[in-house]
């Protein structure tokens, strides 16, 4: 047994259990809870319109949502247009953002190439944008993602992405953002 402040560490069969000395019943430390919403944005390689077909794009969004859910990052909404996607989801406590995005891209790249052999050249861009979203702004971001088609009648992906970076005060160098 070791002491760490008011917590006592009890070693049992190679497992640590933290017990509050003030807690006479010896209950396990409360679970960790989080509500971290992240707005992911990434495009197809060179913004090629691989997702121009409405049916295929809808299926891609479902695949992205399913893959995200499998990673314990439940999606709130997935949307986008022919050359990029937006996913608003809740972060898992057991995966990094880069692991989350890497797996989303890997799984959906395999899926689309199997579903549509003529898209053997399909690739996602190597980078991505990840933007924090407060609980009070979640509905606004959901609406924004729902209205992507309308939104992109006024602004292309590059302009939209630049604006997101600026709104979130993320410094960037144009030479390394686009691929």
């Amino acid at each position: 047994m070791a002491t760490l402040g008011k917590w006592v560490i009890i070693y049992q069969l190679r497992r640590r259990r933290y017990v509050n000395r003030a807690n006479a019943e010896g209950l396990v430390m409360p679970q960790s809870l989080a509500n971290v919403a992240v707005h992911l944005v990434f495009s197809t390689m060179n913004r090629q319109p691989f997702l121009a077909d409405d049916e295929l794009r809808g299926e891609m969004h479902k695949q992205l949502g399913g893959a995200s859910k499998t990673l314990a990052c439940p999606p709130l909404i997935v949307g986008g247009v022919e050359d990029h996607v937006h996913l608003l989801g809740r972060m898992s406590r057991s995966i990094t953002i880069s692991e989350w995005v890497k797996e989303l891209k890997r799984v959906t790249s395999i899926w689309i190439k199997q579903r549509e052999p003529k898209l053997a050249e399909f690739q996602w861009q190597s980078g991505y944008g990840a933007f924090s979203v407060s609980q009070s702004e979640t509905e606004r971001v959901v609406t924004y993602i729902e209205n992507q088609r309308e939104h992109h009648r006024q602004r292309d992906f590059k302009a939209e992405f630049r604006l997101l970076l600026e709104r979130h005060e993320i410094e960037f160098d144009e030479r390394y953002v686009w691929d």
Side-chain angles (χ1 to χ4, degrees), residues 89-153:
R90 302 248 182 252
M91 275 296 301
S92 164
R93 292 179 298 109
S94 61
I95 191 170
T96 66
I97 293 172
S98 63
E99 291 168 334
W100 182 18
V101 174
K102 181 180 178 180
E103 189 62 9
L104 289 175
K105 289 179 178 183
R106 186 188 73 77
V107 168
T108 55
S109 290
I110 292 169
W111 169 79
I112 200 167
K113 290 173 184 178
Q114 290 174 343
R115 158 101 167 43
E116 202 61 53
K118 69 181 181 183
L119 294 178
E121 302 288 316
F122 178 88
Q123 284 185 301
W124 293 112
Q125 74 174 115
S126 57
Y128 61 90
F131 308 97
S132 60
V133 178
S134 67
Q135 184 62 37
S136 62
E137 289 293 308
T138 300
E139 280 305 313
R140 186 185 65 76
V141 175
V142 166
T143 301
Y144 174 78
I145 294 172
E146 286 174 337
N147 294 319
Q148 279 295 293
R149 188 171 264 181
E150 184 66 32
H151 175 76
H152 283 287
R153 289 189 178 130

Side-chain angles (χ1 to χ4, degrees), residues 1-2 9-17:
M1 183 183 327
I9 302 171
I10 302 171
Y11 294 91
Q12 289 182 327
L13 301 173
R14 303 170 106 195
R15 278 187 13 196
R16 278 190 203 173
R17 191 173 73 150

Side-chain angles (χ1 to χ4, degrees), residues 36-40 68 73-77 87-91 100 145:
V36 180
V38 178
H39 177 190
L40 300 176
S68 191
C73 297
L76 302 176
I77 187 170
L87 187 151
L88 176 62
R90 302 248 182 252
M91 275 296 301
W100 182 18
I145 294 172

